[in-house]
Amino acid sequence: MFCTCPICNALVKLFDPQNPGQYVDFCDLCKALYNKLENIKGQNEALILFSHQLIPDMNQLHALTQSLLSSEKIKKIYILEVEYEKISKPIPSILDAIIHKRLKKSEFYELLEANKFEYRVIFEVFKDKITKYSEN
């Protein structure tokens, strides 16, 4: 997405929660989610990025996933979306409602194509075994 206004741009761009930038509100929910993701990743090297915008089109999510997992340096990604109306709930109840699902890349793509993407689910998406004749 392209936004020229830095305030509007802060709503759609991915940002580093450790260095959110001038126009990004690193809210209490972001802080709690960051801590949860830090615990999940453990000692592994990782980059955690946030956005204050839900991805409106699953084709964009598919393209983002495909782009990230095409890199040899990236072994897996975690994807979590929390619906906006759920933010009015207390943060501990939002965190408690989050579940974790581990899927192969091909399974994640099938889920997107079937329009079965779920909110409040941390999708751990990892590469399928690569064969000579497979793109998975």
Side-chain angles (χ1 to χ4, degrees):
M1 294 185 169
F2 182 79
C3 295
T4 56
C5 168
I7 296 170
C8 295
N9 203 9
L11 295 174
V12 296
K13 285 180 81 173
L14 292 172
F15 64 89
D16 177 355
Q18 293 293 78
N19 185 21
Q22 180 179 0
Y23 296 104
V24 176
D25 178 23
F26 192 56
C27 60
D28 291 336
L29 179 60
C30 285
K31 291 174 190 167
L33 289 171
Y34 180 80
N35 291 335
K36 185 172 187 77
L37 292 171
E38 274 289 317
N39 288 335
I40 288 171
K41 83 166 186 71
Q43 297 298 318
N44 295 320
E45 192 175 323
L47 174 64
I48 298 175
L49 298 175
F50 281 22
S51 174
H52 283 131
Q53 168 98 12
L54 295 176
I55 296 177
D57 181 359
M58 291 300 116
N59 290 328
Q60 290 176 334
L61 184 55
H62 184 282
L64 175 64
T65 305
Q66 190 169 14
S67 174
L68 290 170
L69 290 176
S70 67
S71 169
E72 289 183 22
K73 295 180 181 181
I74 298 175
K75 294 182 171 71
K76 62 182 168 182
I77 59 174
Y78 294 93
I79 299 171
L80 168 67
E81 289 201 13
V82 179
E83 294 169 297
Y84 178 77
E85 57 268 11
K86 304 295 182 195
I87 294 175
S88 62
K89 291 184 177 181
I91 290 173
S93 67
I94 293 171
L95 294 178
D96 290 343
I98 293 173
I99 62 172
H100 183 204
K101 291 186 179 182
R102 193 169 192 268
L103 300 171
K104 291 185 230 174
K105 179 175 71 171
S106 59
E107 294 170 328
F108 185 70
Y109 292 163
E110 289 171 9
L111 179 134
L112 293 178
E113 289 172 14
N115 202 23
K116 293 187 177 183
F117 183 83
E118 301 171 75
Y119 297 98
R120 296 181 323 261
V121 173
I122 296 175
F123 289 101
E124 179 180 349
V125 183
F126 59 94
K127 295 179 181 179
D128 296 2
K129 282 190 172 182
I130 298 174
T131 64
K132 184 176 178 181
Y133 303 104
S134 174
E135 284 186 20
N136 295 336

